Amino acid sequence: MDSLRSRSGRPLLTAAVVLLSAAVLTGCQSGGDVPPDAFEGVEVDYRQAVRASAAEVAGGEVVATELTRPESADPVWVTHVAARSGRTHAVRVDAATGNVLHTARAQRAWEGMAPEELRALLDEAAVPVDEAAREARGAVEGPVTAIRLDAHDGDPLWAVDIVSDVPGGEVTTRLVDARTGEVLDRP
């Protein structure tokens, strides 16, 4: 593995994983565009995926949801749901039918946060995931492809990815204050 290091000494494998993760998370093709027909097999929107996923974990609150493989014959929503304890569960929902495919307790902490840290962040987030997505959409028409709770300087934020309906489908990420619902980065 030592041969996979850059001049700075950091593993190149880490960089590759980060780049691949970014491409998967945004659902982007080259240049940040999404082909116009990419969502033909997607019948279940983020609201339906969030409801189905939250119902799988008693007292669960959605921490993130992401549409994966929208252009494929089997698109899937992958949603992370926190239980009351702050431990997360991954729920996979078929984006064509809305059926829950699989639910499993996450093997790692959410974004490196201890369960009690995640619980505290969720307690501060007065704006639910669906309201954050509605606020983020504002003037941007198109499907929401990912929503994620994050912390910036300790403040809870929702990051919402939207694919515009214009030809080429550019992915736009909006940040929403999870306490107030204010969109922090209008274009």
Side-chain angles (χ1 to χ4, degrees):
M1 199 57 91
D2 288 336
S3 63
L4 293 176
R5 294 192 178 273
S6 67
R7 287 184 209 150
S8 68
R10 292 194 176 130
L12 290 176
L13 182 58
T14 301
V17 169
V18 168
L19 290 174
L20 180 60
S21 297
V24 168
L25 284 173
T26 60
C28 295
Q29 305 298 320
S30 61
D33 294 343
V34 177
D37 60 347
F39 298 97
E40 286 181 3
V42 178
E43 298 294 328
V44 175
D45 70 6
Y46 73 92
R47 291 177 295 255
Q48 295 163 300
V50 163
R51 279 193 301 271
S53 298
E56 287 291 302
V57 179
E61 292 183 70
V62 172
V63 178
T65 191
E66 174 194 353
L67 179 61
T68 61
R69 302 187 318 261
E71 72 290 344
S72 74
D74 59 346
V76 174
W77 285 99
V78 177
T79 304
H80 296 273
V81 181
R84 288 184 195 106
S85 66
R87 296 203 183 276
T88 58
H89 295 74
V91 182
R92 297 172 52 85
V93 176
D94 186 311
T97 66
N99 294 331
V100 172
L101 302 172
H102 184 73
T103 301
R105 186 168 160 192
Q107 297 299 312
R108 299 179 319 192
W110 172 253
E111 297 301 304
M113 288 184 210
E116 55 276 1
E117 291 174 295
L118 178 57
R119 183 74 257 155
L121 189 64
L122 282 164
D123 288 345
E124 287 187 54
V127 176
V129 63
D130 55 338
E131 186 178 328
R134 255 192 326 274
E135 292 297 327
R137 286 191 69 200
V140 179
E141 289 298 320
V144 170
T145 57
I147 307 168
R148 164 189 192 83
L149 182 64
D150 211 344
H152 180 69
D153 294 332
D155 295 326
L157 297 175
W158 289 106
V160 182
D161 289 351
I162 304 162
V163 177
S164 67
D165 279 344
V166 299
E170 185 176 316
V171 177
T172 302
T173 300
R174 297 275 192 260
L175 299 178
V176 178
D177 185 313
R179 290 181 179 142
T180 66
E182 177 186 358
V183 178
L184 303 175
D185 63 338
R186 292 217 186 260

